[in-house]
């Protein structure tokens, strides 16, 4: 496998884009990334998306978006892995360039979730779970997260209020991110008063549905050195899986997909946990933030919250997380989210994060995108390119 | 859900039929073509007795399409006596009285009646055990 780099990034604001369709959103992100790289095309396009069929009655996104972006003729396919689709598309770009099949590949994640009735969107998102054995029982995707959180409260005997730390911190960061959906802080009192969606998950435990698109340009590290002085090395992009149905897991509170994907990525990158300077994690629900930190090895089992309370995961802590607002406050356009994470990690490593979000001297960043409740996990590790 | 799909799942929906591995004895619900424990391909149908305990639960206040009329309702993960776990709606129980660890038993109920095919779908739900030792 060749050494790889990201030489261009692009993102649209996350929010309700009622005036813009899927193909235009994707095209905006793709060309923002290609312009950033100083390139006028690519050899291959991998489109991450979950629900174009259900939300826009549109399949066949690869060719559609390649054509709309004036890249018609290149290799282009859609990659679907529920909320992990975007990083799964990046994985395909990594394989394409790493193998030598392509010189330059673009991975774009795009999703539009805000223009259908809420019950239809809720039903569509639930398709990340088991269609034979979870959904017919009335379970929603928030419900899946709620089953995890209820068990967490029971097994680890933590007060529910302790979870407030994650959304409060995410909103605090997002207010400085011009692309974020929620740019206002929230308080512990607002968390305590928030409307219940699927107990014990309330509105402020939960990331919002959103529209958005984000893209990166991947090429070889050798070519990147010639083309750009702002490239970052793409050390690893590794996938781990687990059962789709939550009930098929003997231990609800250990995300084996997270553990597998993290270990593979660290091994591929040749890095240790202590060398990671920031972690863009998949805080779709506050409990997933805790479980990700624990299963990835950044906190002991049951201690994600205690470390968070100590400030370990804040901007000045040992491992800042969700530095641009995370899924909770930047927003969660599901099939695009994984590439927002990678774009944000790249900004940090370039030293281009908006003040005061820039992590001083950030050298190595990890981004982790999760499909479903941990069934598909893609962990990406990036490093600042020296010299 | 399509009519054929609901029909295909009838042995699971109505009588909790899983599989038992002929080689290592592992019991699975739902049925599988390969044993996840030893990868044996010789498995036999194995109905489960429908008793178990609650592993986790949630009460939904926002429902997916097709379930809106039932909110608030509870869904839980149940661990059956034979080992397998499943997801089921919880019924005949005060939503405030739900507790992890409580004993539950299977009952057949209407899951929903307004699907794309307009058919009434029946299947398992779980309720607190009615008569100990019954």
């Amino acid at each position: 496998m060749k050494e790889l780099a990201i030489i261009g990034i692009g993102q649209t604001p996350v929010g309700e884009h009622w005036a813009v369709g899927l193909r235009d959103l994707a095209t905006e992100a793709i060309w923002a990334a290609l312009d950033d790289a100083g390139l006028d095309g690519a050899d291959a396009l991998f489109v991450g998306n979950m629900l174009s069929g259900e939300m826009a009655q549109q399949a066949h996104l690869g060719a559609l978006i390649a054509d709309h972006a004036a890249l018609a003729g290149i290799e282009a396919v859609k990659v679907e892995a529920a909320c992990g689709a975007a990083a799964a598309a990046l994985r395909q770009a990594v394989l394409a360039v790493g193998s030598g099949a392509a010189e330059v590949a673009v991975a774009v994640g795009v999703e539009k979730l805000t223009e259908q009735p809420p019950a239809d969107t809720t039903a569509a998102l639930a398709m990340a779970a088991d269609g034979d054995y979870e959904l017919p029982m009335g379970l929603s995707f928030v419900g899946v997260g709620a089953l995890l959180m209820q068990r967490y409260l029971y097994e680890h005997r933590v007060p529910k209020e302790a979870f407030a730390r994650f959304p409060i911190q995410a909103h605090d960061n997002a207010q400085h991110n011009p692309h974020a959906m929620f740019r206002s802080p929230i308080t512990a009192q607002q968390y305590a008063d928030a409307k219940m969606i699927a107990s014990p998950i309330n509105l402020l435990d939960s990331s919002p549905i959103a529209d958005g698109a984000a893209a990166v340009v991947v090429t070889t590290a050798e070519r990147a050195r010639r083309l750009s002085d702002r490239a970052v090395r793409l050390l690893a992009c590794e996938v781990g899986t687990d059962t789709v149905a939550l009930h098929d897991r003997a231990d609800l509170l250990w995300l084996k997909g997270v553990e597998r994907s993290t270990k593979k990525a660290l091994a591929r990158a040749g890095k240790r946990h202590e060398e990671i300077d920031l972690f863009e994690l998949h805080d779709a629900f506050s409990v997933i933030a805790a479980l990700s930190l624990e299963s990835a090895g950044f906190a002991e089992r049951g201690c994600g919250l205690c470390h968070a309370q100590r400030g370990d995961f804040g901007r000045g802590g040992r491992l800042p997380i969700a530095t641009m607002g995370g899924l909770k406050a930047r927003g969660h356009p599901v099939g695009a989210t994984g590439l927002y994470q990678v774009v944000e990690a790249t900004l940090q490593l370039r030293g281009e994060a908006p003040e005061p979000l820039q992590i001083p001297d950030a050298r190595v960043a990890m981004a982790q995108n999760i499909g479903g409740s941990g069934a598909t996990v893609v962990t990406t590790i990036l490093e600042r390119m020296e010299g | 859900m399509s009519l054929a799909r609901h029909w295909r799942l009838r042995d699971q929906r109505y009588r909790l039929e899983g599989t038992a591995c002929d080689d290592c004895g592992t019991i699975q619900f739902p049925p599988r073509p390969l044993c996840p424990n030893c990868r044996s391909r010789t498995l036999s149908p194995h109905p489960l007795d429908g008793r178990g305990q609650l592993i986790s639960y949630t009460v939904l206040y926002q429902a997916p399409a097709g379930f809106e009329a039932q909110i608030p309702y509870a869904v839980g993960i149940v661990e059956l006596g034979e080992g397998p776990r499943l997801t089921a709606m919880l019924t005949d129980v005060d939503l405030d009285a739900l507790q992890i660890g409580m004993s539950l038993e299977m009952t057949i109920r209407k899951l929903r009646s307004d699907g794309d095919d307009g058919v009434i779908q029946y299947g398992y739900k779980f309720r607190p055990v009615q008569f100990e030792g019954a």
Side-chain angles (χ1 to χ4, degrees), chain B residues 4 21 30 34 37-38 43-44 69 74 83 86 88 91 100 107 113 115 120 125 134:
Chain B
C21 175
L34 277 82
N37 183 46
C38 72
L43 297 96
S44 304
L86 52 74
T91 188
I100 288 177
T107 178
S113 55
I120 299 174
K125 293 188 182 181

Side-chain angles (χ1 to χ4, degrees), chain A residues 300-373:
Chain A
E300 310 81 57
R301 184 187 171 98
C303 289
L305 292 170
C306 18
H307 287 286
Q309 297 298 354
R310 289 206 304 252
D312 282 9
F313 308 124
R315 288 208 290 271
R318 70 173 159 95
L319 183 72
I321 61 171
T323 64
M324 307 273 186
L327 280 62
K328 173 66 199 81
R330 171 238 297 125
H332 184 25
V334 293
T337 289
L339 281 160
Y340 275 97
Q341 295 174 309
V342 172
V343 164
E344 290 159 359
T346 303
L347 286 170
Q348 287 285 5
L349 298 180
R350 286 176 171 184
E352 294 174 3
E355 285 303 330
L357 303 181
Q358 179 65 49
I359 306 301
D361 202 32
R363 225 175 58 79
V364 182
M366 179 183 283
Q368 189 167 73
N369 188 199
I370 299 182
S373 53

